[in-house]
Amino acid sequence: MTQELQRRGSYEKGVRRRQEILDRAIEVFAERGAQGTSLRAIGEAIGVSHAALKHYFDSREELLIEVYRAAEERSTLGDPPVGTTGPVGLMTHAARRNHGVPGLVQLYSTLVASALENGHDAARSFFSARFRDLRGLLADRVREEQRDGHIRADIAPEAAAALIIAASDGLQTQWLLDPSVDIEESLSLLESLLQGPLRS
């Protein structure tokens, strides 16, 4: 019984330590983005030894993915969208949140680019699942909006979902390069196009 309690205590301590590392890393990446730093350099930036990072994360890519995942969860919990928000509204809300942390937008873009390259199986797996789940969520919202008459009935929900994601991600990339790009205005235009012509 004592050994079991010790193992449980050690496990819980490890979980807390891993979360502490992620919390520190989120703050660093929120300011700096990925910037092509090595795992050792990341450890120095967040005040954690290289050995400690290697204990909790097998690679730099795994750490970056977990940093992004944790940051997105924290952001969503801190500023959740309204339950009845439409598909474009969901992405507009997320883009608005991201506006305050350009480093994390840069981290996202870096990881997506990595997912397209050979040898980055972790990033490919993470983003393939993420895009699949997000397309499913947005497609369901499109169907709801179609039933309520807010989106044209002749639009395929899955295609609309993929288009909304592409527009949001592309606009945020443009914004990273040119902060004058108005993401919300462009997404609002997309929303109006999905609604079809104004009824008299």
Side-chain angles (χ1 to χ4, degrees), residues 36-52:
T37 52
S38 65
L39 197 60
R40 189 179 301 277
I42 294 170
E44 292 174 357
I46 64 178
V48 176
S49 71
H50 182 252

Side-chain angles (χ1 to χ4, degrees), residues 141-160:
R141 292 293 178 100
V142 170
R143 292 186 186 95
E144 292 172 7
E145 295 282 287
Q146 287 176 322
R147 284 195 294 269
D148 294 338
H150 300 312
I151 288 181
R152 290 167 42 187
D154 62 338
I155 292 176
E158 292 78 10

Side-chain angles (χ1 to χ4, degrees), residues 25 27 49 66 82-84 86 92 94 98 105-106 112-113 119 126-127 133 140 166 172 191 197:
E27 301 305 322
S49 71
E66 292 306 315
V82 177
T84 56
T92 302
N98 294 342
V105 179
Q106 183 189 36
V112 170
F126 174 74
F127 281 102
D133 293 345
D140 286 343
Q172 289 184 77
E191 187 170 43

Side-chain angles (χ1 to χ4, degrees), residues 58-157:
D58 291 336
S59 65
R60 173 181 179 272
E61 182 169 279
E62 181 184 342
L63 172 61
L64 297 186
I65 290 170
E66 292 306 315
V67 166
Y68 180 78
R69 192 201 308 271
E72 186 174 47
E73 289 176 356
R74 177 196 289 184
S75 178
T76 302
L77 288 173
D79 184 17
V82 177
T84 56
T85 303
V88 178
L90 281 176
M91 299 306 289
T92 302
H93 185 82
R96 190 181 301 125
R97 284 198 313 258
N98 294 342
H99 215 126
V101 281
L104 290 175
V105 179
Q106 183 189 36
L107 173 59
Y108 172 86
S109 300
T110 299
L111 285 170
V112 170
S114 295
L116 301 176
E117 300 175 358
N118 293 330
H120 293 272
D121 294 342
R124 180 182 294 270
S125 176
F126 174 74
F127 281 102
S128 293
R130 185 182 185 279
F131 283 130
R132 182 183 62 247
D133 293 345
L134 186 54
R135 285 194 302 270
L137 171 65
L138 295 181
D140 286 343
R141 292 293 178 100
V142 170
R143 292 186 186 95
E144 292 172 7
E145 295 282 287
Q146 287 176 322
R147 284 195 294 269
D148 294 338
H150 300 312
I151 288 181
R152 290 167 42 187
D154 62 338
I155 292 176

